[in-house]
Amino acid sequence: MGYEWFRAFRTAQPTGALLTRLQRALGGDANHYALTLWSAVGAYLPGQLSPQRLAVYWDGMPNDVAAVLGLGEEQGDTYVFVFRPYDASVLWGAAPTTSGIPAVHPCQLYLDLGCGDEHEIALAQLVREQLLRW
């Protein structure tokens, strides 16, 4: 199977249910996982949650998070993106949000979003203005 850096899943489970399962299984352990991209924006800035996408850094194999979230081969409208951190600094400064689920540090979030499409770049600017204040 090799070393996976990224894996995408599809599921019929709504994002909220996936977040609840993640929090129940792992709590606020920011040393091992953290929300990123649209999911972290939604955790930091109410009203910005992407209802059909979940993005998470996970320090284990992506298939392990599939087991935690109950993801299989089913199809659905919700996309789950699992990224294995390329080094420990990606999770530096991650902290539990009000939901108890950790999100990457706002600076890491800004960098992650800045590599995306027009919508993600707009979210990066919002993160910069609202969370980094520069």
Side-chain angles (χ1 to χ4, degrees):
M1 176 170 231
Y3 192 83
E4 291 184 282
W5 293 99
F6 166 78
R7 182 100 193 264
F9 301 92
R10 285 178 56 192
T11 181
Q13 297 178 64
T15 303
L18 293 169
L19 290 170
T20 298
R21 290 184 93 166
L22 197 57
Q23 201 280 331
R24 285 185 182 154
L26 302 172
D29 187 359
N31 292 317
H32 298 293
Y33 81 106
L35 300 175
T36 189
L37 299 173
W38 338 275
S39 303
V41 172
Y44 280 123
L45 303 172
Q48 296 292 325
L49 182 64
S50 178
Q52 292 183 302
R53 294 184 293 182
L54 176 65
V56 62
Y57 279 116
W58 174 271
D59 77 345
M61 295 302 287
N63 284 339
D64 295 341
V65 79
V68 168
L69 294 177
L71 303 174
E73 298 299 319
E74 87 261 22
Q75 300 295 304
D77 294 332
T78 303
Y79 292 85
V80 179
F81 301 91
V82 181
F83 303 94
R84 186 161 187 178
Y86 47 87
D87 72 37
S89 69
V90 171
L91 294 175
W92 174 85
T97 61
T98 56
S99 68
I101 299 173
V104 295
H105 187 276
C107 187
Q108 181 66 49
L109 179 56
Y110 176 77
L111 294 171
D112 290 347
L113 290 165
C115 296
D117 62 17
E118 293 172 0
H119 177 69
E120 290 163 345
I121 290 171
L123 286 175
Q125 293 304 321
L126 185 64
V127 165
R128 184 182 62 78
E129 294 166 6
Q130 298 291 318
L131 301 175
L132 298 173
R133 303 201 196 288
W134 52 268

